[in-house]
Amino acid sequence: MKENGHQLSKDAKLCKKWAFGLTVLLIIAFPGIMFITGYSYSLGFFKGWTYLSFSWLIIAGLYIAFRPVVEYMKGEGGKP
Amino acid sequence: MLPAYVGYVLLLVFGLFFTLITFIMQRRRKQAMTAEQFSTAGRSVGVGLASASIIAAWTWAATLMMSSSTGYQYGISGPYWYAAGACIQVLLFAIVAINLKKRAPNAHTFLEFIGQRFDKKNHRLIMGFALMTNILVTSMVVLGGAIALNSLTGMNIYVAAFLIPLTFTIYTMIGGLKASFIADYFNTVMIFAILAIFATVVYVKFGIDPIYEGLSNMPSSDSMLTMASVSGLFFGMINIIGNFGAVFVDQAYWQRAIASKDSAASKAYIYGGISWFAIPFAIATFLGVSAAGLGISVVSPDSVAPEMAAHLLGGVGSILFLAMLFMAVMSTGAAELTAITNIIVTDIYRKSINPKASSDRLLNVSRRVTLGFGLMMGVLSILLFKVGIGLGWVYMAMGIFVSGAVIPVTLGLLWKKATNEGTFYGASAGLIFGVTAWLTSAYLLYGEISISTLGELHSMFFGNITVFLVSGTISIGHALIANQEFDFESLQGKFRSFDDEENEEEIKEEGMLYEGKRASAK
């Protein structure tokens, strides 16, 4: 039980870093830079933007589709 | 437009499919269903399933419809602000979720924790907030689904509003939280697959160049192709503030932490949040922004996504879109339904009505509450519709009504100095001042208080921001002045499992621990 609490505290620290880091990146750093510079998308950048959105979709989709199956196979997800 | 029977067939197919899956799972499982299993899924869910389920719970009909509409109106900044502005709440929620896991590993609802951490009046107040959130979200989701079915197939809207909750009520009643997780998984995967189809078709059929051409030739081209769009930024701000309440006060999200294994709880929100980002980002880019770039005229910006889907693939496109929307509705609905059931059973029935209820009794009550509430939701949504309050309106106003509890609840979990009075008066004053600011700013800015002036971006913005400022100032201020310290360790052992057998084991364990301590003291 105690070991478990220790692990949870470690996880909590790590996830705090990730949560705050991503938040700053997503709503302050990236849009901030884009807003201040007032950059207007060129054709190349716009293409890259759509590729980013498309590949994000595919990678996230594959992750969501396969990770639960893998966990289920390994018996990690808990028997339903 | 599709014929009405398509709507009925869709409801029937999905309802039967998920009921069947749950039924098979139930038959295959070795251990019997207990009340604890029903409401926590055995606390054994892994990262993958938990993140899929978080995505499903956060993918509302609005995510698909409204994000596309922002893409159509604000250009590329719309999808970005929609996705980023609603994704960070889930990421930040990971922090409070893991603290709940740490401090109250056996809790069933976050209200149960609030009840032990604070006094009775806080428990009741926050429960009011939580139930309001669940009921608002559910009726919004059901109504959204019914409106979409009605506008795409011509199916009777009242019948749709009644049949949609029925589909997920049945399987949730059989399998509890776990069934909702399994359904969430299938729904999320299908949503991703259908989105990928739409995106591919946009590439193959039109390519990116004509879209870019169209966007740069538009009169408002300056704001369509840049992140430096003021209206986009403003929308982003409201989206960020308003969505906190919908995640932090909604038992459905706490439930996903409670059901996860310890090692999975925090990761699930981070992975879930990052993956969820792709949904509004992609759908709004490919169905909203491209529709604007290709110069497709739509009846209203709100319906750009289904119209673009029909434009891309004709009847097939409409059916795919409808299926995707319906899956989003169903999985959010099921998540909210289990959340309401859990609150009523844990925090009302077991706490105040029958504290000594056996596991069987609790299971029985849970199932009845699920059925009762499932049926009531349809009626509720019809009522909302009758009153004439629109979807977008509820979506934006919801923050004002529920966000008052966000800061007090978060502080209660993370900060030992949070006080009873600070929490109570912070949350209630936040709500009162927020509504006042909302009404006053609508009156001062637009000259009258009506549904439409209350729906303006500025009134919403002032209402939302006041809630946070007031509730935050009071709850933090009082805690600093009072300077009390709460001992989180004292919560250990305060949360009892629903299953009596397990309960006895725990008592035995505690007894042994006590014996051990006494022995070592000697």
Side-chain angles (χ1 to χ4, degrees):
Chain A
M1 192 63 203
K2 203 145 199 195
E3 213 163 292
N4 204 3
H6 182 67
Q7 183 58 42
L8 276 174
S9 305
K10 250 169 83 183
D11 280 2
K13 262 184 207 147
L14 192 70
C15 97
K16 208 181 262 180
K17 269 185 212 156
W18 274 97
F20 280 120
L22 281 168
T23 303
V24 170
L25 178 76
L26 288 177
I27 67 166
I28 298 173
F30 175 74
I33 294 170
M34 296 302 276
F35 197 88
I36 289 165
T37 53
Y39 178 71
S40 192
Y41 284 26
S42 67
L43 178 61
F45 200 91
F46 183 69
K47 269 191 176 163
W49 187 251
T50 63
Y51 292 149
L52 173 75
S53 134
F54 189 69
S55 41
W56 198 327
L57 183 76
I58 298 296
I59 294 167
L62 290 175
Y63 169 78
I64 284 306
F66 289 108
R67 173 117 191 201
V69 177
V70 171
E71 278 172 358
Y72 179 77
M73 295 292 185
K74 284 184 181 167
E76 280 176 5
K79 290 277 177 275
Chain B
M1 194 157 105
L2 300 161
Y5 71 84
V6 176
Y8 289 97
V9 170
L10 208 67
L11 285 172
L12 189 70
V13 168
F14 282 109
L16 281 180
F17 176 71
F18 287 111
T19 311
L20 198 71
I21 285 194
T22 319
F23 193 69
I24 295 171
M25 293 274 183
Q26 262 330 40
R27 291 294 291 271
R28 279 188 52 207
R29 119 198 342 266
K30 282 164 198 106
Q31 63 200 124
M33 182 60 133
T34 65
E36 186 75 9
Q37 278 281 339
F38 189 88
S39 62
T40 65
R43 302 184 199 273
S44 62
V45 176
V47 182
L49 199 54
S51 31
S53 163
I54 289 161
I55 297 174
W58 203 208
T59 308
W60 298 358
T63 312
L64 306 174
M65 305 282 279
M66 268 190 71
S67 64
S68 307
S69 132
T70 61
Y72 189 77
Q73 289 174 68
Y74 310 126
I76 49 133
S77 68
Y80 184 83
W81 279 119
Y82 196 100
C87 149
I88 58 153
Q89 290 84 357
V90 176
L91 297 174
L92 293 173
F93 190 78
I95 300 170
V96 287
I98 197 157
N99 272 289
L100 182 79
K101 272 286 208 224
K102 211 165 78 183
R103 294 185 167 148
N106 286 319
H108 302 88
T109 63
F110 79 102
L111 296 163
E112 209 181 358
F113 174 84
I114 294 291
Q116 300 285 354
R117 169 74 174 79
F118 297 116
D119 56 10
K120 209 170 198 171
K121 64 176 193 286
N122 275 309
H123 181 247
R124 291 205 175 130
L125 178 73
I126 308 285
M127 182 155 65
F129 275 103
L131 285 174
M132 188 158 65
T133 313
N134 288 135
I135 290 170
L136 278 177
V137 173
T138 327
S139 39
M140 204 157 76
V141 159
V142 171
L143 196 60
I147 290 174
L149 273 177
N150 171 266
S151 66
L152 289 173
T153 69
M155 181 179 179
N156 183 306
I157 195 160
Y158 300 114
V159 177
F162 192 74
L163 287 181
I164 291 172
L166 202 64
T167 51
F168 56 76
T169 304
I170 296 171
Y171 71 72
T172 318
M173 211 176 102
I174 302 174
L177 188 57
K178 190 77 184 198
S180 148
F181 271 72
I182 305 281
D184 285 352
Y185 168 72
F186 283 107
N187 288 333
T188 314
V189 172
M190 285 298 288
I191 290 172
F192 271 105
I194 294 174
L195 274 181
I197 295 173
F198 283 140
T200 317
V201 173
V202 171
Y203 275 121
V204 174
K205 212 165 170 181
F206 301 106
I208 299 303
D209 300 86
I211 297 173
Y212 181 82
E213 290 285 298
L215 285 174
S216 45
N217 289 336
M218 279 175 81
S220 54
S221 64
D222 281 342
S223 60
M224 292 303 273
L225 274 169
T226 170
M227 286 291 293
S229 149
V230 177
S231 44
L233 180 73
F234 204 64
F235 164 77
M237 300 285 289
I238 295 181
N239 199 30
I240 291 170
I241 306 168
N243 276 323
F244 266 101
V247 175
F248 280 62
V249 193
D250 189 340
Q251 165 66 12
Y253 299 92
W254 296 93
Q255 198 127 292
R256 269 131 194 88
I258 289 165
S260 301
K261 288 190 301 184
D262 283 355
S263 56
S266 60
K267 287 186 203 123
Y269 291 90
I270 305 278
Y271 296 156
I274 297 174
S275 313
W276 180 86
F277 191 99
I279 295 178
F281 188 30
I283 191 176
T285 305
F286 290 104
L287 296 186
V289 178
S290 357
L294 294 169
I296 290 164
S297 61
V298 293
V299 183
S300 86
D302 283 340
S303 61
V304 65
E307 292 191 24
M308 181 67 181
H311 184 80
L312 285 174
L313 286 168
V316 180
S318 296
I319 293 180
L320 281 178
F321 185 82
L322 201 56
M324 179 168 74
L325 195 74
F326 183 58
M327 282 183 285
V329 168
M330 208 161 67
S331 49
T332 314
E336 296 295 321
L337 186 59
T338 51
I340 294 178
T341 306
N342 238 353
I343 294 178
I344 292 180
V345 171
T346 315
D347 292 282
I348 299 179
Y349 183 77
R350 196 175 180 232
K351 196 169 170 93
S352 313
I353 300 176
N354 186 359
K356 294 205 170 75
S358 67
S359 177
D360 283 348
R361 177 93 192 111
L362 284 169
L363 180 60
N364 198 342
V365 174
S366 304
R367 288 200 160 129
R368 280 193 203 159
V369 172
T370 308
L371 181 65
F373 240 92
L375 296 179
M376 232 176 84
M377 273 171 193
V379 181
L380 262 171
S381 340
I382 294 172
L383 278 179
L384 254 183
F385 191 67
K386 283 276 190 196
V387 174
I389 290 177
L391 259 188
W393 197 88
V394 182
Y395 178 83
M396 302 234 274
M398 206 180 102
I400 301 173
F401 290 111
V402 305
S403 299
V406 171
I407 295 179
V409 166
T410 311
L411 288 178
L413 259 173
L414 301 181
W415 197 28
K416 59 187 173 194
K417 287 192 175 170
T419 56
N420 282 317
E421 280 70 26
T423 308
F424 186 79
Y425 294 110
S428 41
L431 173 65
I432 295 165
F433 278 89
V435 172
T436 316
W438 183 35
L439 296 173
T440 348
S441 55
Y443 184 75
L444 291 178
L445 291 168
Y446 308 102
E448 57 158 355
I449 296 174
S450 67
I451 298 273
S452 75
T453 57
L454 288 174
E456 291 288 335
L457 282 182
H458 286 84
S459 346
M460 292 279 187
F461 180 75
F462 287 120
N464 270 302
I465 199 101
T466 313
V467 175
F468 274 91
L469 289 178
V470 171
S471 66
T473 317
I474 295 181
S475 48
I476 296 174
H478 188 271
L480 287 175
I481 295 166
N483 203 19
Q484 295 164 355
E485 285 200 359
F486 182 82
D487 181 19
F488 282 113
E489 293 292 317
S490 70
L491 289 177
Q492 292 290 335
K494 284 254 175 90
F495 303 95
R496 289 185 299 127
S497 158
F498 281 159
D499 302 349
D500 285 314
E501 298 83 29
E502 266 186 45
N503 223 357
E504 273 166 27
E505 268 175 33
E506 269 174 25
I507 293 166
K508 260 187 222 154
E509 264 178 32
E510 268 175 27
M512 267 154 66
L513 261 171
Y514 183 57
E515 292 278 333
K517 267 185 195 159
R518 273 204 348 200
S520 61
K522 275 179 195 166

